[in-house]
Amino acid sequence: MQDNILANRTEGQTDWTSIDWKDANRHVRNLRQRIFRATQEGDWDKVQSLQRLMLRSRSNVVESVRKVTQLNQGKNTPGIDKLLVKTPSERGKLIDEMSTYTPWRAIPVKRVYIPKANGKLRPLGIPTIKDRVMQAIVKNALEPSWEARFEGTSYGFRPGRSCQDAIKQIWSIAKGKAKPWILDADISGCFDNINHEHLLDTIGTFPAQELIRQWLKAGYVEYGHQHETPTGTPQGGVISPLLANISLHGMETALDIRYQPTGARIGMCAVIRYADDFVVMCRTEEDAQYAQERLREWLAIRGLQLSPEKTSIRHLKQGFDFLGFNVRIYPTQKTRSGWKTLIKPSRKSVTKIRERLRHEWMSLRGHSVISVLERLNPIIRGWANYFRTQVSRKTFEKLDHYMYQREVRYMQHMHPHKSHHWQHAKYLGKFNLYREDRWVSGDTNTQRYLHKFEWTGIRRHDMVTGTNSPDDPGLKTYWQKRELAKIQDLPVKAQLLAKRQGGVCPICGKSLFIDENIEKHHIVPRQANGAETTDNKRLVHYLCHQQLTAHQRLTGILVY
């Protein structure tokens, strides 16, 4: 691998297949940690100096190009320039172009619409590929400084944090019954109405503040006509979630919530926020009403307001939905208080997955069993893994019963003139050798089978502690342990390889458990009589595997 590819230079064409991803990742990670530490120390001159260094870093450019052109979901959606970058040579050329300093001029975004759960349409603003790369570069410079300042109860679109952390925080507060009154709130059109001037004043003297101003003011193009954007940050931009979090920072301060040195919370309320969705848990109904009025005033300064349709005050006995879960206390004789807090998949979530599964089964009529397995298994596993951290077993069982009914309809449609006994003998059996279950749908030729919801065991989530951030250099061991704990989610045979690698991809040096598929790589290829042993295998990210294979094909050098 060529280390000099990552030098801060612009001469020549970058060879995408020869980039040292481990070195690039190390450079970006170290700079992020230095920015984080300088912010904690209050050395703002050093913070800005390091942010400028990050903005000029070629490693940051390389990482940003990979993220935008390979990892992001919108990598196949062009902006108004209709430009897409799909080949290695095009990515190498893009790196060289982005590494050359030129006065930047933001281009308007392309307005598209996607359906929302309530039947309405959500507007998205799709920047050009170059603007997306530049936003990713700027984000790496801006985010670490704010990670050192963000509140510990903010969980949306932040590194190392997830929906599961927010739900676990709600449970930890609700189980005490001390704050049973809930302000269940939603900000109306948050991304479309953020006040630009307040946001830019909050960001302060960031070296790329003018670039952010241009992105905010660039406008959007819809049906060939350009429109101005006096407010808001377009959903669809790489940096937009970070800007929204910056704008909404300080909600705990607005409600006079403080913390003791031990981490204990002081105040009448507790806030849990995931992006623009949040709940405020209060001691009394009057406290919840006060919190609502206080937040209305606080949001108005930011150009925002609470949604009347989605904002309500209720007691935990009534329950409320948040991030797909339903949180509620139920009467019981097993506790002193006579109540028990349970968090389950919400009715809306269950209805939605049933509708999706029904739609998939209908579209798979006449298709082979293999097609059914390939389409449905990722959906089943993904949904079950998301809800496995709470009280979901009965829901899983009901969904499995629903799936059996759909399987019977599929068999009857495929073989209408065959008996039920014949259909069951062909499609049902003990395909999963690890379970004593004869009612598993599968393919008799390949022995592949349809996963069941109930096979996903309930496993409690380990909530991230306080304000801990992956950018904190003093918490390296803490985050390594959290990543290693994810190994148990892998198939049994892959767990051994992941443990031997310490849960890290040997190509890019990042955790295996980022939002990217994992594949097995043979150091000595099978075409060259490579052995099927653990010593000859490594777990790598899908994109790392692609690049590694291409590099080996071009050079003939075996690398792992």
Side-chain angles (χ1 to χ4, degrees), residues 27-42:
H27 275 95
V28 173
R29 182 178 65 250
N30 288 348
L31 270 176
R32 286 182 64 106
Q33 291 179 349
R34 292 173 65 188
I35 294 171
F36 184 97
R37 187 190 300 115
T39 303
Q40 282 186 322
E41 296 170 351

Side-chain angles (χ1 to χ4, degrees), residues 265-373:
R265 186 184 295 103
I266 304 174
M268 64 180 183
C269 301
V271 178
I272 300 92
R273 181 173 66 84
Y274 190 93
D276 57 336
D277 292 333
F278 65 93
V279 293
V280 184
M281 308 183 74
C282 305
R283 293 177 298 188
T284 64
E285 186 176 9
E286 290 73 22
D287 289 343
Q289 292 171 347
Y290 169 79
Q292 183 173 2
E293 292 304 315
R294 181 69 187 92
L295 287 177
R296 276 178 178 163
E297 299 171 1
W298 184 80
L299 288 170
I301 300 173
R302 291 151 177 78
L304 304 172
Q305 60 181 359
L306 296 176
S307 171
E309 301 85 9
K310 297 182 180 180
T311 301
S312 61
I313 295 175
R314 60 184 67 190
H315 197 275
L316 267 176
K317 294 178 183 179
Q318 299 172 276
F320 66 96
D321 292 347
F322 190 66
L323 301 178
F325 292 90
N326 178 263
V327 185
R328 186 178 175 184
I329 58 175
Y330 296 82
T332 180
Q333 297 179 351
K334 296 181 180 181
T335 62
R336 290 184 179 180
S337 63
W339 297 91
K340 183 177 182 179
T341 303
L342 295 180
I343 302 180
K344 306 176 182 180
S346 68
R347 287 186 179 180
K348 289 183 180 179
S349 298
V350 176
T351 301
K352 188 175 180 180
I353 188 62
R354 284 171 62 103
E355 283 298 310
R356 182 179 180 186
L357 290 170
R358 186 188 68 84
H359 174 76
E360 295 292 347
W361 275 111
M362 296 295 289
S363 66
L364 286 165
R365 279 191 170 187
H367 288 248
S368 66
V369 178
I370 296 299
S371 298
V372 172
L373 302 181

Side-chain angles (χ1 to χ4, degrees), residues 163 209 359 458 488 499 539:
C163 298
Q209 187 198 58
H359 174 76
I458 303 301
Q488 58 187 333
K499 289 178 181 178
L539 291 181

Side-chain angles (χ1 to χ4, degrees), residues 467-501:
T467 58
N468 287 1
S469 169
D471 289 320
D472 189 341
L475 297 175
K476 181 179 179 180
T477 303
Y478 171 83
W479 289 104
Q480 284 178 342
K481 289 181 179 179
R482 287 185 67 85
E483 292 301 305
L484 287 174
K486 299 176 183 178
I487 290 177
Q488 58 187 333
D489 293 329
L490 294 174
V492 177
K493 294 182 179 179
Q495 290 184 19
L496 176 61
L497 289 173
K499 289 178 181 178
R500 292 179 62 177
Q501 297 172 204

Side-chain angles (χ1 to χ4, degrees), residues 23 128 147 150 219 242 277 345 478:
D23 195 44
T128 64
E147 276 295 306
F150 279 147
L242 173 60
D277 292 333
Y478 171 83

Side-chain angles (χ1 to χ4, degrees), residues 26 71-72 120 174 373 430 462 493 533:
R26 181 176 57 83
L71 295 177
N72 283 6
K120 297 181 180 180
L373 302 181
K430 189 180 175 182
D462 183 17
K493 294 182 179 179
T533 61

Side-chain angles (χ1 to χ4, degrees), residues 31-32 34-36 38-39 43-57 60 137-147 149 203-209 212 242 246:
L31 270 176
R32 286 182 64 106
R34 292 173 65 188
I35 294 171
F36 184 97
T39 303
D43 191 344
W44 299 109
D45 289 339
K46 186 176 181 179
V47 169
Q48 291 191 32
S49 176
L50 290 169
Q51 287 174 333
R52 292 190 187 95
L53 187 60
M54 177 70 90
L55 292 170
R56 296 193 301 267
S57 169
N60 189 14
I137 292 170
V138 171
K139 182 182 177 183
N140 268 335
L142 179 63
E143 187 173 51
S145 178
W146 280 94
E147 276 295 306
R149 290 177 270 178
I203 291 173
T205 56
F206 175 60
Q209 187 198 58
I212 296 175
L242 173 60
I246 292 173

